[in-house]
Amino acid sequence: MAEESKTPQLDDLEKGPWPSFVKEMKRAAEKSDMSADLVGLVERSYVDKIGHWKHGGIVGVKGYGGGVIGRYTDLPEEFPNLKEFHTMRVAAPSGWFYTTEKLREICDIWERHGSGLTNMHGATGDIIFLGTTTAELQPTFDELSEHNMDLGGSGSDLRSPSCCVGPGRCEHACYDTLDMCYDITNEFQDELHRPMWPYKSKIKMSGCANDCVAAAARADISVIGTWRDSITIDQDEVKKYIDEGMDVKAEVVDKCPTRCMAFNAETGELTLNPRECNRCMHCVNRMGKAVKQGKDKGATILVGAKSTIVKSAFMSWVLVPFMKMEAPYTEFKDLVNRIWDWWDENGKTRERLGETIYRVGMGEFLRGIDLPAVPQMVYRPRSNPYVFWQPDEVEQTEAPEATE
């Protein structure tokens, strides 16, 4: 008779055609007692239907306030190798481009000092080292430094900036997301490693409105690529799409959110009302050879997205409709510093930027960062103006004299 499995719940997750984290955990368990205990603890969690982790504790490396997350199990007697199971965040390259040599270095370091388990990548965008002891934190960091790698952000600091692959692999990128992410990461090293704010702050960069890093839903400050002029339409290429069987009206025109496009079935011509275009990328995605983005490219700056913490989950809203994004990104950096200074003065503990703005009002926020109000900032169009003019901001004009 076959020996009964000690992990029947996890075994089910190995079935099927997809890669399984359980398989990788069991492979790591062959070389690591910590990983072996982890397999047992995860099985226990599925059986008990609760997580057996305690989060927190003061752990770290010399000179850094971020980058290490204290983690412990609440069953240390049963799983002694998990009495300490700290997580380390390792800063990732822009766009997550690696060489195989560097990946092997990363894995070798972690097998020497921790469980050998990694998460590529965490929600913040970092490489996640899962599971080590307090005694191994400093040696791990020292060896990472020797290989030109650094810790990412954690705690009430700037979390590691992240971006899409941008011009590295995508023709839609309206600015160089890879260069900007690298530049911003180096510029704000102090903010990244030394927690000093009410809570965490995230900057995420997407090259276009497709938003492949979900910046608009997750980042306190989002940089979404866009263009200022009109899209261009190549009518010859439009006809090729028609000849290949595309129903341009049904697939493109009727699905335009602002109805800014029109299609003449008799002539096969696609036209645009540029004043109504909100640059959503739908037509560009569907007819990439016929419809091209404008040439005056830059980015829209948005603020305030987050998951549920003090308030409910927020999506971003527009702060700067258009800003040129070219190195050394001085205008953007100046804006970010003003935002952080205001938030640091006005934010409450564990209150994200969007929650502070929501509490005190967009008008107060704009005055605090010295930014003029524009229509794109309206939070709920046609129902709540969200920006209130102060008496000294309203231009006073004399009434015209009556004429006979």
Side-chain angles (χ1 to χ4, degrees):
M1 180 181 292
E3 184 178 348
E4 185 178 352
S5 172
K6 296 180 180 180
T7 58
Q9 302 279 338
L10 292 183
D11 293 348
D12 278 345
L13 297 177
E14 291 186 86
K15 299 174 183 178
W18 309 111
S20 168
F21 75 93
V22 175
K23 179 180 179 180
E24 300 306 319
M25 286 171 57
K26 290 181 177 179
R27 287 178 61 187
E30 296 173 4
K31 296 187 287 185
S32 166
D33 291 338
M34 183 175 280
S35 295
D37 269 9
L38 181 64
V39 172
L41 183 69
V42 175
E43 175 72 18
R44 176 70 176 273
S45 294
Y46 283 135
V47 172
D48 295 346
K49 295 183 173 58
I50 61 172
H52 287 289
W53 292 109
K54 297 188 295 182
H55 178 76
I58 305 302
V59 290
V61 298
K62 294 177 182 177
Y64 277 43
V68 179
I69 303 168
R71 193 159 284 149
Y72 313 82
T73 181
D74 63 2
L75 300 173
E77 295 80 13
E78 190 171 344
F79 302 98
N81 293 301
L82 302 180
K83 183 166 26 175
E84 298 172 342
F85 195 79
H86 307 316
T87 291
M88 300 185 76
R89 286 179 170 157
V90 182
S94 296
W96 305 293
F97 285 99
Y98 301 95
T99 63
T100 54
E101 179 184 10
K102 183 58 68 175
L103 287 173
R104 291 183 185 280
E105 286 179 6
I106 291 169
C107 292
D108 288 344
I109 290 171
W110 194 229
E111 285 193 348
R112 285 192 287 272
H113 298 287
S115 69
L117 293 168
T118 63
N119 178 357
M120 306 287 281
H121 300 84
T124 298
D126 290 324
I127 303 162
I128 305 298
F129 281 177
L130 293 165
T132 193
T133 62
T134 303
E136 289 295 336
L137 292 173
Q138 191 67 45
T140 306
F141 172 69
D142 293 341
E143 194 166 350
L144 285 170
S145 298
E146 291 171 5
H147 288 82
N148 297 316
M149 288 179 277
D150 200 0
L151 295 188
S154 68
S156 298
D157 61 7
L158 172 63
R159 298 300 176 86
S160 304
S162 62
C163 67
C164 66
V165 297
R169 295 192 66 180
C170 181
E171 63 183 357
H172 295 324
C174 294
Y175 66 99
D176 192 337
T177 57
L178 304 173
D179 179 72
M180 184 178 180
C181 186
Y182 179 76
D183 188 291
I184 294 298
T185 302
N186 284 310
E187 176 76 18
F188 295 124
Q189 280 294 294
D190 196 54
E191 290 82 0
L192 185 63
H193 292 309
R194 292 166 183 86
M196 63 184 89
W197 293 329
Y199 201 31
K200 58 189 172 185
S201 183
K202 298 180 180 180
I203 300 175
K204 296 186 184 295
M205 290 146 275
S206 288
C208 72
N210 287 326
D211 195 9
C212 290
V213 292
R218 301 191 297 156
D220 301 271
I221 302 173
S222 310
V223 187
I224 311 293
T226 190
W227 58 95
R228 187 157 43 182
D229 52 349
S230 175
I231 62 175
T232 60
I233 301 174
D234 186 328
Q235 300 299 341
D236 291 335
E237 291 293 341
V238 171
K239 290 179 173 60
K240 290 181 182 179
Y241 278 102
I242 297 171
D243 292 341
E244 291 172 1
M246 174 179 278
D247 186 338
V248 175
K249 185 177 184 303
E251 296 182 42
V252 180
V253 174
D254 290 348
K255 293 185 178 180
C256 174
T258 61
R259 298 294 190 267
C260 71
M261 306 193 90
F263 177 67
N264 189 318
E266 294 182 2
T267 63
E269 186 177 36
L270 182 67
T271 55
L272 169 78
N273 178 0
R275 292 176 62 86
E276 295 298 320
C277 176
N278 71 352
R279 296 159 182 79
C280 73
M281 289 291 293
H282 173 69
C283 57
V284 179
N285 291 334
R286 293 296 293 125
M287 304 178 71
K289 293 181 180 180
V291 183
K292 301 286 188 182
Q293 297 157 305
K295 295 181 180 180
D296 187 8
K297 295 179 179 178
T300 297
I301 313 301
L302 303 95
V303 295
K306 66 170 195 69
S307 183
T308 299
I309 305 174
V310 178
K311 294 283 186 180
S312 62
F314 286 5
M315 288 288 286
S316 294
W317 62 92
V318 173
L319 184 65
V320 179
F322 185 87
M323 181 184 291
K324 296 295 285 187
M325 282 297 149
E326 298 172 347
Y329 312 104
T330 303
E331 185 180 3
F332 175 75
K333 293 172 184 175
D334 289 344
L335 175 64
V336 168
N337 278 314
R338 297 201 306 273
I339 291 172
W340 283 339
D341 286 344
W342 178 88
W343 174 52
D344 197 27
E345 286 292 324
N346 293 276
K348 296 181 179 180
T349 301
R350 290 185 64 81
E351 188 176 59
R352 296 280 287 274
L353 172 63
E355 292 167 324
T356 305
I357 296 172
Y358 192 86
R359 175 171 56 83
V360 306
M362 178 63 86
E364 191 67 28
F365 170 61
L366 294 176
R367 286 185 286 277
I369 64 173
D370 193 26
L371 199 67
V374 295
Q376 290 89 338
M377 295 172 181
V378 175
Y379 188 57
R380 294 188 179 93
R382 294 173 296 281
S383 66
N384 182 355
Y386 207 60
V387 173
F388 298 94
W389 300 100
Q390 300 299 306
D392 59 349
E393 295 174 334
V394 178
E395 184 179 354
Q396 300 294 330
T397 59
E398 295 182 4
E401 293 183 4
T403 59
E404 295 182 359

